[in-house]
PDB file of all heavy atoms in Angstrom:
ATOM      1  N   LEU A   1     160.000 162.719 171.659  1.00 97.00           N
ATOM      2  CA  LEU A   1     160.881 163.669 172.329  1.00 97.00           C
ATOM      3  C   LEU A   1     160.054 164.722 173.031  1.00 97.00           C
ATOM      4  O   LEU A   1     159.356 165.504 172.386  1.00 97.00           O
ATOM      5  CB  LEU A   1     161.823 164.318 171.301  1.00 97.00           C
ATOM      6  CG  LEU A   1     162.837 165.341 171.820  1.00 97.00           C
ATOM      7  CD1 LEU A   1     163.763 164.709 172.856  1.00 97.00           C
ATOM      8  CD2 LEU A   1     163.653 165.909 170.670  1.00 97.00           C
ATOM      9  N   GLY A   2     160.101 164.715 174.369  1.00 94.00           N
ATOM     10  CA  GLY A   2     159.356 165.690 175.156  1.00 94.00           C
ATOM     11  C   GLY A   2     158.040 165.148 175.657  1.00 94.00           C
ATOM     12  O   GLY A   2     157.219 164.657 174.873  1.00 94.00           O
ATOM     13  N   LEU A   3     157.826 165.236 176.968  1.00 95.00           N
ATOM     14  CA  LEU A   3     156.592 164.709 177.560  1.00 95.00           C
ATOM     15  C   LEU A   3     155.756 165.857 178.113  1.00 95.00           C
ATOM     16  O   LEU A   3     155.876 166.242 179.267  1.00 95.00           O
ATOM     17  CB  LEU A   3     156.917 163.706 178.673  1.00 95.00           C
ATOM     18  CG  LEU A   3     155.722 162.992 179.316  1.00 95.00           C
ATOM     19  CD1 LEU A   3     154.874 162.306 178.255  1.00 95.00           C
ATOM     20  CD2 LEU A   3     156.197 161.977 180.345  1.00 95.00           C
ATOM     21  N   GLY A   4     154.911 166.392 177.240  1.00 93.00           N
ATOM     22  CA  GLY A   4     153.994 167.465 177.621  1.00 93.00           C
ATOM     23  C   GLY A   4     152.650 167.211 176.987  1.00 93.00           C
ATOM     24  O   GLY A   4     152.254 166.070 176.778  1.00 93.00           O
ATOM     25  N   GLY A   5     151.931 168.296 176.668  1.00 94.00           N
ATOM     26  CA  GLY A   5     150.612 168.157 176.076  1.00 94.00           C
ATOM     27  C   GLY A   5     150.626 167.361 174.790  1.00 94.00           C
ATOM     28  O   GLY A   5     149.791 166.470 174.582  1.00 94.00           O
ATOM     29  N   LEU A   6     151.575 167.640 173.901  1.00 96.00           N
ATOM     30  CA  LEU A   6     151.704 166.886 172.654  1.00 96.00           C
ATOM     31  C   LEU A   6     152.333 165.520 172.902  1.00 96.00           C
ATOM     32  O   LEU A   6     151.868 164.508 172.400  1.00 96.00           O
ATOM     33  CB  LEU A   6     152.542 167.670 171.646  1.00 96.00           C
ATOM     34  CG  LEU A   6     151.969 168.963 171.083  1.00 96.00           C
ATOM     35  CD1 LEU A   6     152.974 169.619 170.143  1.00 96.00           C
ATOM     36  CD2 LEU A   6     150.675 168.704 170.338  1.00 96.00           C
ATOM     37  N   GLY A   7     153.416 165.513 173.667  1.00 96.00           N
ATOM     38  CA  GLY A   7     154.173 164.285 173.871  1.00 96.00           C
ATOM     39  C   GLY A   7     153.355 163.162 174.483  1.00 96.00           C
ATOM     40  O   GLY A   7     153.459 161.997 174.055  1.00 96.00           O
ATOM     41  N   HIS A   8     152.517 163.485 175.453  1.00 97.00           N
ATOM     42  CA  HIS A   8     151.763 162.409 176.107  1.00 97.00           C
ATOM     43  C   HIS A   8     150.730 161.806 175.165  1.00 97.00           C
ATOM     44  O   HIS A   8     150.441 160.616 175.215  1.00 97.00           O
ATOM     45  CB  HIS A   8     151.156 162.898 177.430  1.00 97.00           C
ATOM     46  CG  HIS A   8     149.766 163.420 177.388  1.00 97.00           C
ATOM     47  ND1 HIS A   8     149.440 164.637 176.820  1.00 97.00           N
ATOM     48  CD2 HIS A   8     148.601 162.897 177.850  1.00 97.00           C
ATOM     49  CE1 HIS A   8     148.139 164.840 176.948  1.00 97.00           C
ATOM     50  NE2 HIS A   8     147.589 163.791 177.554  1.00 97.00           N
ATOM     51  N   MET A   9     150.189 162.631 174.249  1.00 98.00           N
ATOM     52  CA  MET A   9     149.259 162.091 173.258  1.00 98.00           C
ATOM     53  C   MET A   9     150.008 161.285 172.183  1.00 98.00           C
ATOM     54  O   MET A   9     149.493 160.267 171.697  1.00 98.00           O
ATOM     55  CB  MET A   9     148.460 163.215 172.609  1.00 98.00           C
ATOM     56  CG  MET A   9     147.444 163.881 173.518  1.00 98.00           C
ATOM     57  SD  MET A   9     146.296 162.733 174.330  1.00 98.00           S
ATOM     58  CE  MET A   9     145.646 161.810 172.947  1.00 98.00           C
ATOM     59  N   ALA A  10     151.199 161.720 171.817  1.00 98.00           N
ATOM     60  CA  ALA A  10     151.996 160.972 170.841  1.00 98.00           C
ATOM     61  C   ALA A  10     152.302 159.574 171.362  1.00 98.00           C
ATOM     62  O   ALA A  10     152.243 158.586 170.615  1.00 98.00           O
ATOM     63  CB  ALA A  10     153.288 161.722 170.521  1.00 98.00           C
ATOM     64  N   VAL A  11     152.625 159.468 172.651  1.00 98.00           N
ATOM     65  CA  VAL A  11     152.884 158.159 173.252  1.00 98.00           C
ATOM     66  C   VAL A  11     151.621 157.295 173.186  1.00 98.00           C
ATOM     67  O   VAL A  11     151.660 156.140 172.761  1.00 98.00           O
ATOM     68  CB  VAL A  11     153.361 158.303 174.711  1.00 98.00           C
ATOM     69  CG1 VAL A  11     153.389 156.942 175.402  1.00 98.00           C
ATOM     70  CG2 VAL A  11     154.740 158.940 174.770  1.00 98.00           C
ATOM     71  N   LYS A  12     150.490 157.862 173.597  1.00 98.00           N
ATOM     72  CA  LYS A  12     149.244 157.080 173.613  1.00 98.00           C
ATOM     73  C   LYS A  12     148.881 156.559 172.223  1.00 98.00           C
ATOM     74  O   LYS A  12     148.524 155.386 172.065  1.00 98.00           O
ATOM     75  CB  LYS A  12     148.105 157.928 174.171  1.00 98.00           C
ATOM     76  CG  LYS A  12     148.220 158.215 175.664  1.00 98.00           C
ATOM     77  CD  LYS A  12     146.963 158.886 176.192  1.00 98.00           C
ATOM     78  CE  LYS A  12     147.052 159.135 177.688  1.00 98.00           C
ATOM     79  NZ  LYS A  12     145.786 159.566 178.295  1.00 98.00           N
ATOM     80  N   PHE A  13     148.969 157.429 171.218  1.00 98.00           N
ATOM     81  CA  PHE A  13     148.593 157.007 169.873  1.00 98.00           C
ATOM     82  C   PHE A  13     149.583 155.994 169.305  1.00 98.00           C
ATOM     83  O   PHE A  13     149.178 154.975 168.727  1.00 98.00           O
ATOM     84  CB  PHE A  13     148.468 158.209 168.944  1.00 98.00           C
ATOM     85  CG  PHE A  13     147.204 159.006 169.107  1.00 98.00           C
ATOM     86  CD1 PHE A  13     147.235 160.377 169.221  1.00 98.00           C
ATOM     87  CD2 PHE A  13     145.975 158.370 169.135  1.00 98.00           C
ATOM     88  CE1 PHE A  13     146.069 161.121 169.380  1.00 98.00           C
ATOM     89  CE2 PHE A  13     144.794 159.089 169.277  1.00 98.00           C
ATOM     90  CZ  PHE A  13     144.848 160.469 169.399  1.00 98.00           C
ATOM     91  N   ALA A  14     150.881 156.261 169.430  1.00 98.00           N
ATOM     92  CA  ALA A  14     151.881 155.369 168.855  1.00 98.00           C
ATOM     93  C   ALA A  14     151.790 153.977 169.468  1.00 98.00           C
ATOM     94  O   ALA A  14     151.878 152.959 168.759  1.00 98.00           O
ATOM     95  CB  ALA A  14     153.281 155.947 169.052  1.00 98.00           C
ATOM     96  N   VAL A  15     151.569 153.904 170.780  1.00 98.00           N
ATOM     97  CA  VAL A  15     151.389 152.619 171.447  1.00 98.00           C
ATOM     98  C   VAL A  15     150.132 151.922 170.937  1.00 98.00           C
ATOM     99  O   VAL A  15     150.129 150.721 170.634  1.00 98.00           O
ATOM    100  CB  VAL A  15     151.337 152.790 172.983  1.00 98.00           C
ATOM    101  CG1 VAL A  15     150.891 151.499 173.658  1.00 98.00           C
ATOM    102  CG2 VAL A  15     152.687 153.229 173.517  1.00 98.00           C
ATOM    103  N   SER A  16     149.040 152.691 170.821  1.00 98.00           N
ATOM    104  CA  SER A  16     147.779 152.131 170.341  1.00 98.00           C
ATOM    105  C   SER A  16     147.892 151.591 168.922  1.00 98.00           C
ATOM    106  O   SER A  16     147.273 150.579 168.575  1.00 98.00           O
ATOM    107  CB  SER A  16     146.675 153.191 170.401  1.00 98.00           C
ATOM    108  OG  SER A  16     145.451 152.698 169.925  1.00 98.00           O
ATOM    109  N   PHE A  17     148.738 152.228 168.104  1.00 98.00           N
ATOM    110  CA  PHE A  17     148.915 151.796 166.723  1.00 98.00           C
ATOM    111  C   PHE A  17     149.828 150.569 166.599  1.00 98.00           C
ATOM    112  O   PHE A  17     150.014 150.042 165.503  1.00 98.00           O
ATOM    113  CB  PHE A  17     149.481 152.930 165.867  1.00 98.00           C
ATOM    114  CG  PHE A  17     148.573 154.129 165.751  1.00 98.00           C
ATOM    115  CD1 PHE A  17     149.083 155.360 165.351  1.00 98.00           C
ATOM    116  CD2 PHE A  17     147.222 154.044 166.061  1.00 98.00           C
ATOM    117  CE1 PHE A  17     148.252 156.476 165.238  1.00 98.00           C
ATOM    118  CE2 PHE A  17     146.388 155.153 165.957  1.00 98.00           C
ATOM    119  CZ  PHE A  17     146.909 156.373 165.554  1.00 98.00           C
ATOM    120  N   GLY A  18     150.427 150.152 167.726  1.00 98.00           N
ATOM    121  CA  GLY A  18     151.231 148.934 167.715  1.00 98.00           C
ATOM    122  C   GLY A  18     152.722 149.135 167.652  1.00 98.00           C
ATOM    123  O   GLY A  18     153.484 148.161 167.552  1.00 98.00           O
ATOM    124  N   ALA A  19     153.204 150.371 167.694  1.00 98.00           N
ATOM    125  CA  ALA A  19     154.629 150.637 167.615  1.00 98.00           C
ATOM    126  C   ALA A  19     155.313 150.367 168.960  1.00 98.00           C
ATOM    127  O   ALA A  19     154.680 150.366 170.011  1.00 98.00           O
ATOM    128  CB  ALA A  19     154.880 152.080 167.186  1.00 98.00           C
ATOM    129  N   GLU A  20     156.618 150.142 168.905  1.00 98.00           N
ATOM    130  CA  GLU A  20     157.451 150.055 170.103  1.00 98.00           C
ATOM    131  C   GLU A  20     157.923 151.468 170.412  1.00 98.00           C
ATOM    132  O   GLU A  20     158.626 152.093 169.605  1.00 98.00           O
ATOM    133  CB  GLU A  20     158.642 149.130 169.867  1.00 98.00           C
ATOM    134  CG  GLU A  20     159.538 148.955 171.087  1.00 98.00           C
ATOM    135  CD  GLU A  20     160.714 148.031 170.822  1.00 98.00           C
ATOM    136  OE1 GLU A  20     160.626 147.204 169.891  1.00 98.00           O
ATOM    137  OE2 GLU A  20     161.717 148.136 171.547  1.00 98.00           O
ATOM    138  N   VAL A  21     157.532 152.001 171.559  1.00 98.00           N
ATOM    139  CA  VAL A  21     157.680 153.422 171.833  1.00 98.00           C
ATOM    140  C   VAL A  21     158.702 153.688 172.939  1.00 98.00           C
ATOM    141  O   VAL A  21     158.662 153.059 173.999  1.00 98.00           O
ATOM    142  CB  VAL A  21     156.322 154.047 172.237  1.00 98.00           C
ATOM    143  CG1 VAL A  21     156.486 155.530 172.537  1.00 98.00           C
ATOM    144  CG2 VAL A  21     155.304 153.833 171.119  1.00 98.00           C
ATOM    145  N   THR A  22     159.596 154.627 172.657  1.00 98.00           N
ATOM    146  CA  THR A  22     160.599 155.082 173.619  1.00 98.00           C
ATOM    147  C   THR A  22     160.375 156.554 173.919  1.00 98.00           C
ATOM    148  O   THR A  22     160.251 157.364 172.988  1.00 98.00           O
ATOM    149  CB  THR A  22     162.025 154.892 173.075  1.00 98.00           C
ATOM    150  OG1 THR A  22     162.252 153.506 172.831  1.00 98.00           O
ATOM    151  CG2 THR A  22     163.070 155.410 174.068  1.00 98.00           C
ATOM    152  N   MET A  23     160.321 156.908 175.181  1.00 98.00           N
ATOM    153  CA  MET A  23     160.238 158.311 175.567  1.00 98.00           C
ATOM    154  C   MET A  23     161.653 158.856 175.759  1.00 98.00           C
ATOM    155  O   MET A  23     162.469 158.258 176.463  1.00 98.00           O
ATOM    156  CB  MET A  23     159.437 158.464 176.870  1.00 98.00           C
ATOM    157  CG  MET A  23     159.521 159.836 177.528  1.00 98.00           C
ATOM    158  SD  MET A  23     159.068 161.234 176.451  1.00 98.00           S
ATOM    159  CE  MET A  23     157.379 160.815 176.067  1.00 98.00           C
ATOM    160  N   LEU A  24     161.944 159.976 175.113  1.00 97.00           N
ATOM    161  CA  LEU A  24     163.207 160.679 175.280  1.00 97.00           C
ATOM    162  C   LEU A  24     162.955 161.958 176.062  1.00 97.00           C
ATOM    163  O   LEU A  24     162.131 162.770 175.666  1.00 97.00           O
ATOM    164  CB  LEU A  24     163.815 161.030 173.910  1.00 97.00           C
ATOM    165  CG  LEU A  24     164.077 159.873 172.941  1.00 97.00           C
ATOM    166  CD1 LEU A  24     164.582 160.415 171.616  1.00 97.00           C
ATOM    167  CD2 LEU A  24     165.095 158.902 173.537  1.00 97.00           C
ATOM    168  N   SER A  25     163.663 162.130 177.170  1.00 94.00           N
ATOM    169  CA  SER A  25     163.401 163.279 178.031  1.00 94.00           C
ATOM    170  C   SER A  25     164.673 163.720 178.733  1.00 94.00           C
ATOM    171  O   SER A  25     165.600 162.925 178.955  1.00 94.00           O
ATOM    172  CB  SER A  25     162.335 162.932 179.073  1.00 94.00           C
ATOM    173  OG  SER A  25     162.131 164.010 179.967  1.00 94.00           O
ATOM    174  N   THR A  26     164.709 164.999 179.094  1.00 92.00           N
ATOM    175  CA  THR A  26     165.830 165.530 179.872  1.00 92.00           C
ATOM    176  C   THR A  26     165.608 165.322 181.367  1.00 92.00           C
ATOM    177  O   THR A  26     166.501 165.581 182.161  1.00 92.00           O
ATOM    178  CB  THR A  26     166.008 167.041 179.616  1.00 92.00           C
ATOM    179  OG1 THR A  26     164.789 167.719 179.979  1.00 92.00           O
ATOM    180  CG2 THR A  26     166.328 167.319 178.158  1.00 92.00           C
ATOM    181  N   SER A  27     164.423 164.867 181.740  1.00 91.00           N
ATOM    182  CA  SER A  27     164.060 164.761 183.149  1.00 91.00           C
ATOM    183  C   SER A  27     163.834 163.299 183.545  1.00 91.00           C
ATOM    184  O   SER A  27     162.904 162.651 183.076  1.00 91.00           O
ATOM    185  CB  SER A  27     162.792 165.566 183.427  1.00 91.00           C
ATOM    186  OG  SER A  27     162.361 165.397 184.756  1.00 91.00           O
TER     187      SER A  27
END
């Protein structure tokens, strides 16, 4: 939830760890 400084790293790590990742955003 949220694509900023934290969010973009959370996506990178979760994908790297093998999870299926969904970005939730208001934009």
Side-chain angles (χ1 to χ4, degrees):
L1 180 59
L3 185 55
L6 293 177
H8 93 288
M9 290 307 307
V11 170
K12 290 188 178 190
F13 282 132
V15 169
S16 179
F17 297 162
E20 182 180 337
V21 179
T22 299
M23 168 54 61
L24 303 176
S25 176
T26 59
S27 176

